[in-house]
Amino acid sequence: MSVHQTSEKVKYWKMESPQTCCEQGHQNLEAMKAGMFLRKVKSRTWKRPRHYKLQEDCKTVAYKSSWAIKSYSTFSISDVEAVREGHQSEALLNVADEFPADRCFTLVFRGRRGNLDLVADSAKEAQAWIRGIRALMDNMENMDESTKLDQWISDWFLKADLNKDGRINFKEAKKLLKMMNVNMNEEHACCLFMTADKSESGTLEGQEFVEFYKMLTERTEVLDLFHYHSSDGQSLSQCDLEEFLREEQLEREGSHEHALQLIDRYEPSDTARKNHSMSVDGFLMYLMSREGCIFNPERQSLFQDMSQPLAHYYISSSHNTYLMEDQLKGPSSVEAYIQTLKRGCRCVEVDCWNGSNGEPVVYHGHTLTSKILLKDVITTIANYAFKASEYPLIVSIENHCSVEQQEVMARYFRDILGDMLLTNTVEGVSSELPSPEALKRKILLKGKKIGMESESPTGEVSDEDEAAEMNKDSLASESPSTDGKKSKHNLCKELSDLMFCKSVHFHSFEHSRMSANPHEMSSFSESKARKYSKEAGSDFVLHNTRQLTRVYPSGMRTDSSNYCPVDMWNMGCQIVALNFQTAGMEMDLNDGLFTQNGCSGYILKPEILRKKERLFDPENPEEHEDHHPLLFSVKVISGQQLPKVKQKDWSIVDPLVRVEIHGVPLDQAKQETKYIDNNGFNPRWNESLQFTIHTPELALVRFVVEDYDTTSRNDFIGQYTLPFTCIQPGYRHVHLLSKDGTSIHPSSIYVHIKITQL
């Protein structure tokens, strides 16, 4: 990635290998490198030994079955999000009577990859892996960008060094180029190789490989920018950098002091730092840093007013939270709640049904999805509710239980959640809901509630709108396991009294305006919500300034696919529930919106969606008195180290970049660059795209990189989504994410952003 690697930055290659670096201060790594058999557990009946071994790079674990001879599979330590000790998974709880807790541990992976549950032969061996992996994770977490870069270069060197002799020949170098996703002319590659081979040995060693890498990764587009702003053509003085920040990056903090801070933070050369100047290497490190990223770092931390009523916020919300896969036969798991809550979700769904032995269960009714105990779900919620965010968690209850099992439900909610459960609600006391700030670390239940004493405690217990929708649409209702009848039960007062939000049937916007209480919430299917948005957009927006609205996917989505949430956010709908387990554009948009404001799960809606006296219609934004459209210009300059879509040696991607605008209908747009033949390593586009943004406060921008294919659909490479209001202008890097939302460092695209008034 470096334009010109300084001698100070390559000490890593001369002084110590990754192996030496990892071994320092940690004796458990030797046991991991020696390898050992660990029992992989999937269920009570599936428990099989696998040989696990930490590789010499100290970043990869290889494993194979006892019957396999050579075929190892691998996973990267960087993909591990957490290590849990003991029986902290459903699979290990199922074998708790067979294997003691001190021999058991679980590796939790980033994204949507399933957990790995393991049992060691002894507590000592289990601790070697638990402590060893945690130490390696800490080591990677604490790396600065420069060290991560060195590690990345080291990875490629180790991959290219096929005979492991600490040097690579030209044949290995050619293979390396293919591995690095670049198709280079052999004559040119040979010329670079010979230039780097200072010792004329016909091979490249540590420092020589760095020189070869420097030439491969030379960023002429960054060099040109650097030289343009450099007074002497050699470095950026403090004044040069200050001018660049002010004129190009449009940073308010483009002061003398801020420029000095960036030099101290990113300049690798001691000499340059002492002279208060920045070399081209430091300049590139700044551009690749969090401060040089397209996402304004000031908006990544908690910056919004959290003292307004709940109805004034978008709330990150999950649908069928218990499911790991589809809603016909996929597994239900408490792990799904853990993953969803750790991603900052603030509204989860619990579908409760009568279970055996008087124990309520959670699953997707009348389907082949597996069942889990309600008490396990509530325990999991209690343990993970506030790990990612301290702001209130809403538990949306679909209640299909008898009165007897509802009483059990009420007892579990009270006993397990304890003081976290908010129960002191009185109808009609306030004209608006409390704020997220006032409800910190509180769990709010949403469901059917017995209102005034005159109301009958009988009737359909589940959410009326969703139950009707599911009965009408869901293919699952044709399952032979259902009797085709909607069950009706009395509503248990003990459970009713615990509800903070009351589920009510929606009659009309006028009825709601005249008689609804702020704690009452209606649920809409995606099709019904879309119908209201087309027919009465302003009324829908006004309704959502006072009431909470929940939108859920159609029952026809048996594959647990998602609808586009932006259409619902445009109406001010707060609880737009998505299937978190399903990757795709819809979840990219959800992640993009909720990445801001400290990943708290609460985003203050734009003022146009909060004001009762000034109506806003998303279908006609130009009619609003505050209509001030902007011109959004994106110059897509280059790409860096894009991953290969197909892992075949001969496959090289032909990348293109698409920029998508998601917002009010008038703003919906997409444009894309041409594709670049056979270069995923350092493609150059230099193409400008322009968009008119009529309602910037509701717009999301999604950058997508694809591998062009003439005969079939383009393959996805990476994406990055963020709110338009969080974009930093100037020269910025867009750090790409995988399909499941995890980083694919160091893959990025380099752009120039300009935003002007029309």
Side-chain angles (χ1 to χ4, degrees):
M1 190 174 300
S2 178
V3 179
H4 286 297
Q5 196 89 13
T6 66
S7 58
E8 292 167 282
K9 294 303 294 175
V10 299
K11 290 178 183 176
Y12 171 83
W13 287 89
K14 298 176 180 177
M15 304 289 291
E16 57 186 8
S17 67
Q19 176 182 347
T20 307
C21 184
C22 287
E23 286 172 354
Q24 291 174 353
H26 220 288
Q27 57 187 1
N28 294 311
L29 300 186
E30 285 302 321
M32 294 170 65
K33 285 182 186 176
M36 65 181 73
F37 278 97
L38 301 171
R39 199 177 298 270
K40 180 179 178 180
V41 179
K42 287 188 176 180
S43 67
R44 192 167 183 83
T45 57
W46 201 104
K47 308 177 289 272
R48 298 178 186 175
R50 297 282 186 267
H51 189 261
Y52 290 83
K53 183 178 181 180
L54 179 66
Q55 300 298 281
E56 289 301 312
D57 63 1
C58 283
K59 289 175 289 185
T60 310
V61 173
Y63 59 96
K64 67 175 181 178
S65 306
S66 55
W67 45 264
I69 300 175
K70 292 183 178 179
S71 56
Y72 271 95
S73 298
T74 62
F75 65 82
S76 172
I77 297 293
S78 62
D79 291 334
V80 179
E81 184 177 35
V83 184
R84 299 186 199 145
E85 296 186 55
H87 301 138
Q88 291 199 59
S89 72
E90 287 169 87
L92 291 177
L93 282 170
N94 288 334
V95 297
D97 57 343
E98 186 177 355
F99 302 111
D102 61 4
R103 289 170 52 194
C104 301
F105 62 99
T106 300
L107 302 185
V108 181
F109 292 95
R110 302 182 193 279
R112 292 171 176 81
R113 178 175 175 174
N115 294 347
L116 179 58
D117 295 307
L118 298 169
V119 180
D121 287 341
S122 68
K124 183 179 179 181
E125 289 184 349
Q127 282 300 310
W129 281 88
I130 291 168
R131 293 176 181 174
I133 291 178
R134 283 177 175 167
L136 293 171
M137 290 169 61
D138 288 343
N139 184 52
M140 290 185 175
E141 189 71 27
N142 294 326
M143 285 182 191
D144 58 22
E145 288 301 314
S146 173
T147 310
K148 285 180 183 177
L149 225 30
D150 290 337
Q151 287 279 1
W152 193 76
I153 300 171
S154 164
D155 284 347
W156 285 116
F157 185 86
L158 292 170
K159 288 175 184 176
D161 184 13
L162 300 180
N163 59 6
K164 307 303 177 189
D165 62 353
R167 59 186 70 196
I168 62 171
N169 56 34
F170 184 60
K171 182 178 180 181
E172 290 172 321
K174 285 196 297 180
K175 190 173 181 67
L176 169 65
L177 294 179
K178 291 284 187 182
M179 292 163 66
M180 295 174 96
N181 209 357
V182 60
N183 192 21
M184 187 176 287
N185 175 276
E186 185 167 329
E187 184 177 340
H188 181 58
C190 182
C191 180
L192 294 180
F193 186 93
M194 291 172 63
T195 303
D197 182 16
K198 305 295 185 186
S199 62
E200 299 184 357
S201 63
T203 61
L204 301 181
E205 300 180 45
Q207 175 62 25
E208 292 175 335
F209 179 74
V210 173
E211 293 298 323
F212 182 57
Y213 176 81
K214 278 166 39 180
M215 290 183 281
L216 281 174
T217 58
E218 187 167 74
R219 298 277 303 274
T220 55
E221 73 276 29
V222 174
L223 273 172
D224 292 343
L225 183 65
F226 177 83
H227 288 139
Y228 180 81
H229 287 277
S230 170
S231 300
D232 59 7
Q234 301 297 314
S235 64
L236 293 177
S237 67
Q238 192 172 355
C239 289
D240 291 339
L241 183 57
E242 180 186 350
E243 183 180 274
F244 171 77
L245 295 172
R246 187 174 57 252
E247 294 184 2
E248 296 284 7
Q249 308 296 73
L250 303 182
E251 293 187 12
R252 293 192 307 273
E253 292 186 354
S255 64
H256 218 59
E257 293 73 21
H258 183 52
L260 184 58
Q261 289 172 359
L262 293 180
I263 291 171
D264 288 341
R265 198 170 297 152
Y266 299 112
E267 175 52 49
S269 166
D270 292 336
T271 304
R273 282 199 305 274
K274 288 175 183 175
N275 291 331
H276 294 175
S277 63
M278 182 177 274
S279 67
V280 68
D281 293 300
F283 184 60
L284 182 60
M285 285 184 188
Y286 152 68
L287 288 176
M288 293 293 294
S289 73
R290 181 170 174 265
E291 287 161 298
C293 171
I294 191 170
F295 202 120
N296 186 343
E298 292 179 3
R299 289 180 172 260
Q300 288 181 315
S301 56
L302 194 71
F303 73 96
Q304 292 184 330
D305 176 10
M306 303 301 284
S307 63
Q308 299 198 33
L310 278 183
H312 287 186
Y313 296 84
Y314 295 126
I315 303 172
S316 180
S317 306
S318 166
H319 177 250
N320 289 347
T321 312
Y322 46 88
L323 289 179
M324 298 290 287
E325 296 171 13
D326 68 83
Q327 61 186 42
L328 280 184
K329 58 184 187 304
S332 303
S333 171
V334 296
E335 189 62 41
Y337 285 94
I338 295 173
Q339 292 181 9
T340 299
L341 290 169
K342 287 174 69 176
R343 291 174 69 178
C345 181
R346 295 290 83 195
C347 181
V348 297
E349 185 178 15
V350 182
D351 287 9
C352 303
W353 297 80
N354 287 332
S356 58
N357 302 318
E359 289 284 351
V361 295
V362 175
Y363 84 114
H364 201 250
H366 307 308
T367 69
L368 299 177
T369 58
S370 61
K371 300 174 182 178
I372 50 179
L373 294 176
L374 173 65
K375 64 181 177 184
D376 290 341
V377 170
I378 300 174
T379 300
T380 299
I381 289 173
N383 290 335
Y384 288 88
F386 303 111
K387 295 281 188 185
S389 170
E390 288 194 316
Y391 290 99
L393 174 69
I394 300 171
V395 178
S396 178
I397 299 171
E398 278 290 314
N399 180 3
H400 305 271
C401 291
S402 64
V403 169
E404 292 76 19
Q405 295 210 11
Q406 287 181 55
E407 291 172 350
V408 177
M409 289 171 61
R411 185 173 75 250
Y412 284 154
F413 279 118
R414 281 195 310 267
D415 295 350
I416 297 173
L417 298 182
D419 292 340
M420 290 186 289
L421 183 63
L422 186 68
T423 57
N424 57 342
T425 57
V426 180
E427 293 189 25
V429 170
S430 172
S431 61
E432 58 185 20
L433 289 163
S435 69
E437 189 67 34
L439 296 172
K440 264 188 173 180
R441 299 192 70 82
K442 288 296 181 183
I443 294 175
L444 322 176
L445 301 188
K446 169 257 174 189
K448 282 295 178 180
K449 186 176 179 70
I450 302 171
M452 308 303 290
E453 291 183 10
S454 61
E455 287 189 29
S456 170
T458 63
E460 174 61 39
V461 174
S462 67
D463 186 305
E464 293 176 17
D465 294 297
E466 182 155 7
E469 175 82 9
M470 295 301 290
N471 271 323
K472 182 179 73 173
D473 283 350
S474 180
L475 299 178
S477 65
E478 299 173 9
S479 167
S481 63
T482 177
D483 58 9
K485 297 178 181 178
K486 289 173 65 178
S487 60
K488 290 181 181 285
H489 299 295
N490 286 338
L491 183 58
C492 164
K493 186 176 187 304
E494 289 83 355
L495 185 61
S496 169
D497 289 346
L498 299 180
M499 297 300 149
F500 174 83
C501 293
K502 179 182 179 180
S503 294
V504 297
H505 178 73
F506 178 77
H507 296 283
S508 69
F509 291 121
E510 183 180 4
H511 178 272
S512 169
R513 186 164 57 250
M514 299 298 293
S515 61
N517 289 315
H519 69 278
E520 292 179 344
M521 182 196 303
S522 296
S523 291
F524 299 87
S525 69
E526 57 175 285
S527 55
K528 193 170 289 186
R530 197 168 285 115
K531 175 177 178 288
Y532 285 129
S533 70
K534 296 290 185 186
E535 295 177 354
S538 295
D539 290 335
F540 206 172
V541 170
L542 182 60
H543 172 85
N544 290 324
T545 63
R546 304 182 308 264
Q547 310 293 136
L548 288 175
T549 294
R550 177 174 175 269
V551 183
Y552 57 88
S554 162
M556 294 296 289
R557 295 183 181 273
T558 54
D559 59 351
S560 291
S561 60
N562 283 309
Y563 56 93
C564 181
V566 173
D567 299 335
M568 312 308 164
W569 292 331
N570 289 342
M571 295 294 131
C573 297
Q574 302 87 353
I575 301 177
V576 180
L578 298 178
N579 292 298
F580 269 50
Q581 73 273 27
T582 306
M585 177 199 71
E586 298 81 9
M587 275 308 300
D588 293 344
L589 295 170
N590 193 79
D591 291 343
L593 177 69
F594 288 101
T595 299
Q596 61 180 319
N597 204 35
C599 296
S600 63
Y602 283 83
I603 303 298
L604 186 64
K605 293 192 293 186
E607 187 178 15
I608 55 175
L609 298 180
R610 305 196 310 265
K611 295 294 183 182
K612 299 180 179 67
E613 62 276 8
R614 288 186 294 174
L615 297 182
F616 173 74
D617 184 358
E619 293 289 324
N620 301 290
E622 70 278 11
E623 295 178 2
H624 195 262
E625 60 186 48
D626 292 331
H627 178 239
H628 299 295
L630 299 175
L631 182 64
F632 177 47
S633 302
V634 183
K635 184 176 183 182
V636 182
I637 302 171
S638 63
Q640 295 76 44
Q641 291 88 53
L642 304 178
K644 295 175 71 167
V645 176
K646 302 178 181 68
Q647 292 306 313
K648 304 290 186 184
D649 287 344
W650 47 265
S651 68
I652 303 291
V653 300
D654 305 322
L656 62 82
V657 177
R658 184 170 62 254
V659 179
E660 303 171 351
I661 310 298
H662 299 265
V664 297
L666 196 58
D667 287 343
Q668 301 280 358
K670 60 179 69 173
Q671 295 180 38
E672 63 187 33
T673 67
K674 63 180 181 295
Y675 67 90
I676 305 296
D677 274 321
N678 289 328
N679 189 351
F681 189 69
N682 54 1
R684 294 282 297 275
W685 291 281
N686 282 322
E687 287 192 55
S688 295
L689 313 175
Q690 285 194 336
F691 304 87
T692 299
I693 311 292
H694 293 270
T695 313
E697 54 267 69
L698 288 175
L700 289 157
V701 181
R702 183 170 181 252
F703 295 86
V704 187
V705 183
E706 291 182 343
D707 179 15
Y708 176 77
D709 197 309
T710 55
T711 58
S712 62
R713 188 175 180 178
N714 294 348
D715 290 315
F716 175 88
I717 293 177
Q719 68 83 31
Y720 190 80
T721 306
L722 76 165
F724 181 82
T725 54
C726 294
I727 289 178
Q728 294 198 104
Y731 289 93
R732 304 293 176 182
H733 279 88
V734 180
H735 298 281
L736 298 176
L737 304 176
S738 67
K739 190 169 289 186
D740 65 5
T742 56
S743 171
I744 45 177
H745 180 84
S747 300
S748 64
I749 54 174
Y750 178 53
V751 299
H752 182 264
I753 302 293
K754 188 176 181 181
I755 301 171
T756 53
Q757 293 276 354
L758 279 175

